[in-house]
Amino acid sequence: MKPFKIRSLHDNKKYGIAAGDLKELLKKGCNLLQVPLSGANVCLYADGTKVTKEFLMTLPGNTELVLLGRDETWGGGKHRLLLAIGMGPISGHLCPSAVCDIAHLLGSNQHTEDLIQMAKGLLSDEKSFKRQKILSDLLRNLEDTSELESRDEDQDWFTGLPTRFKTKSAYLKDNCACRIRSYKKELDEAAKSEHEAKVRLGCQQASEKLSRMLRADKNIGCYFDRSQKEAWRLCTREGWFTCQGSFDQAKCPSLHSINPYGSRERRILFSTWNLDHRIEKRRSVIPALLEALRHHKYEEINLDYFYRLLFTWENLKLVHIVCHKKEAHHLQCDPKQILTQNDKKQPKKKIRFK
């Protein structure tokens, strides 16, 4: 007697059956799954290989089998993959059990290598451009090395990057810090166009203080660093980022997501994602700061407020390029927080990172 896992073609549920031979397995399986015994046979779930009486007893215990009625066929995991990517038969429909199987198959690390080989085989013979795109996207997501972190473990991921980066987290942290620092450079550029010496001096003083604040926070590179605390990063511990939707949306309707830790290609694609200012830095934040410096002393400006607007996720949203709306946001700075004297009654919101 040997144990097996058996299921029908139309049901995702598996049952345990012990049998000493194929005849006994078929009898028990047909009785359990309500399949007519006449013309019934079993095959391997993995690849659809028909199981003979001699082959059955060579299989290891708990092998997963599919019980087929007369005229039923099963193509194995490849069959489910074909259905998943819309390459199955034109007639008919995708039954609920097939949907469950696809989710199970794609969500199981156990089958990843088999899926990669199946997808590569299908891609090499596929003529349809649409299906080529689906298969290539599938391969990109299956061939994932996000669990690897160091340069020694995943050298391909670091192709084209300076040798000073030894880990993926270190590179993405630096990438985020570079983006954040660039926002202060825009402030410096805007100040150069000012004609009033008083405003230029005040802007220089403000810029120096903002630089000190950024250095204290290590340029807030933690947003892209998966090794940071959950409260400081924008990704999961595995490195998945989710689009937060455009400035006027609560969330991304398309559920865009990406894991730049997973492959070199996704690392490069992640560079097209943007940290978008809800209250725009060029149209609102920087002009508001310059206008305040025209009428008030540098010491009267609430730079904590402008720091949060320019550099922190109080005003930043991570967005897929499709969700990055370029038109004017028509959102203005809070006039009550621009000056320190107007902000005394309000609790200070200080965000500090390590």
Side-chain angles (χ1 to χ4, degrees):
M1 301 289 284
K2 186 179 289 188
F4 299 96
K5 298 291 184 182
I6 196 164
R7 59 196 289 174
S8 73
L9 182 64
H10 307 291
D11 190 353
N12 195 48
K13 189 174 182 180
K14 294 175 286 187
Y15 300 88
I17 288 182
D21 55 38
L22 181 60
K23 184 177 180 180
E24 182 179 7
L25 178 67
L26 284 170
K27 184 176 180 181
K28 287 183 176 180
C30 288
N31 183 58
L32 179 64
L33 300 175
Q34 298 297 299
V35 174
L37 182 59
S38 176
N41 64 90
V42 291
C43 67
L44 296 180
Y45 171 81
D47 58 13
T49 301
K50 186 175 180 178
V51 176
T52 63
K53 60 181 180 180
E54 295 83 8
F55 183 39
L56 179 70
M57 302 320 294
T58 66
L59 297 175
N62 291 312
T63 296
E64 193 169 340
L65 306 172
V66 179
L67 177 64
L68 301 173
R70 185 186 299 275
D71 299 326
E72 289 184 334
T73 59
W74 170 253
K78 182 176 180 179
H79 173 71
R80 289 305 194 204
L81 179 59
L82 289 170
L83 289 173
I85 61 177
M87 299 174 69
I90 296 175
S91 60
H93 63 279
L94 198 59
C95 63
S97 64
V99 175
C100 292
D101 253 350
I102 292 165
H104 173 73
L105 195 62
L106 296 180
S108 173
N109 291 331
Q110 179 182 356
H111 302 290
T112 298
E113 191 56 41
D114 291 337
L115 278 171
I116 290 174
Q117 296 308 316
M118 288 177 197
K120 285 182 176 178
L122 290 169
L123 182 59
S124 63
D125 298 326
E126 184 53 54
K127 305 301 181 191
S128 164
F129 290 115
K130 181 178 180 181
R131 290 174 177 174
Q132 285 178 8
K133 178 65 167 58
I134 294 172
L135 282 166
S136 61
D137 286 348
L138 176 65
L139 278 169
R140 276 198 296 271
N141 283 283
L142 288 175
E143 295 177 317
D144 183 278
T145 60
S146 57
E147 74 280 2
L148 305 179
E149 174 67 11
S150 71
R151 182 183 284 268
D152 292 337
E153 294 173 316
D154 193 0
Q155 293 186 12
D156 180 67
W157 192 93
F158 290 86
T159 301
L161 298 182
T163 56
R164 72 176 186 274
F165 296 115
K166 305 302 182 185
T167 66
K168 296 177 180 179
S169 295
Y171 168 74
L172 284 164
K173 182 176 182 178
D174 182 77
N175 179 270
C176 182
C178 288
R179 297 195 195 198
I180 297 293
R181 283 196 302 269
S182 69
Y183 305 149
K184 195 191 76 65
K185 291 179 182 177
E186 291 186 45
L187 171 62
D188 296 338
E189 290 297 321
K192 291 178 182 178
S193 62
E194 281 296 321
H195 300 294
E196 294 184 46
K198 169 180 173 279
V199 177
R200 288 199 303 272
L201 176 60
C203 200
Q204 180 183 349
Q205 293 172 316
S207 179
E208 290 173 354
K209 181 174 180 180
L210 290 173
S211 293
R212 291 194 297 272
M213 295 168 73
L214 275 174
R215 285 195 296 272
D217 288 340
K218 298 185 178 180
N219 298 300
I220 320 185
C222 56
Y223 284 164
F224 293 175
D225 182 358
R226 66 179 178 181
S227 67
Q228 294 290 332
K229 294 180 179 180
E230 184 176 0
W232 295 348
R233 51 182 161 86
L234 290 173
C235 60
T236 66
R237 179 61 70 185
E238 295 75 26
W240 282 98
F241 292 83
T242 302
C243 174
Q244 297 175 322
S246 61
F247 75 95
D248 55 352
Q249 294 176 320
K251 62 180 181 179
C252 172
S254 301
L255 302 179
H256 295 122
S257 63
I258 190 171
N259 188 341
Y261 289 85
S263 69
R264 173 174 169 266
E265 181 176 347
R266 273 176 271 171
R267 164 176 68 79
I268 295 171
L269 285 174
F270 186 61
S271 65
T272 66
W273 285 49
N274 295 287
L275 284 170
D276 185 30
H277 290 80
R278 290 182 63 255
I279 302 175
E280 298 166 281
K281 63 180 182 299
R282 290 184 182 178
R283 289 190 176 106
S284 299
V285 180
I286 294 176
L289 176 56
L290 294 177
E291 182 64 22
L293 287 169
R294 289 190 188 96
H295 305 286
H296 301 276
K297 296 179 180 179
Y298 152 74
E299 295 82 2
E300 297 175 341
I301 307 300
N302 181 11
L303 284 181
D304 270 335
Y305 175 60
F306 285 101
Y307 180 88
R308 299 196 307 269
L309 292 184
L310 285 171
F311 308 123
T312 77
W313 60 27
E314 179 178 323
N315 190 43
L316 289 172
K317 297 187 78 174
L318 180 66
V319 293
H320 186 282
I321 189 171
V322 173
C323 292
H324 189 193
K325 295 182 179 180
K326 299 289 188 177
E327 69 266 23
H329 296 183
H330 301 296
L331 297 174
Q332 302 299 321
C333 299
D334 183 356
K336 295 181 180 179
Q337 297 200 60
I338 290 177
L339 302 178
T340 54
Q341 60 196 35
N342 292 330
D343 197 48
K344 287 181 179 178
K345 296 181 181 179
Q346 308 243 359
K348 297 246 181 182
K349 290 178 66 178
K350 291 190 177 181
I351 302 175
R352 289 293 176 262
F353 308 92
K354 296 183 180 180

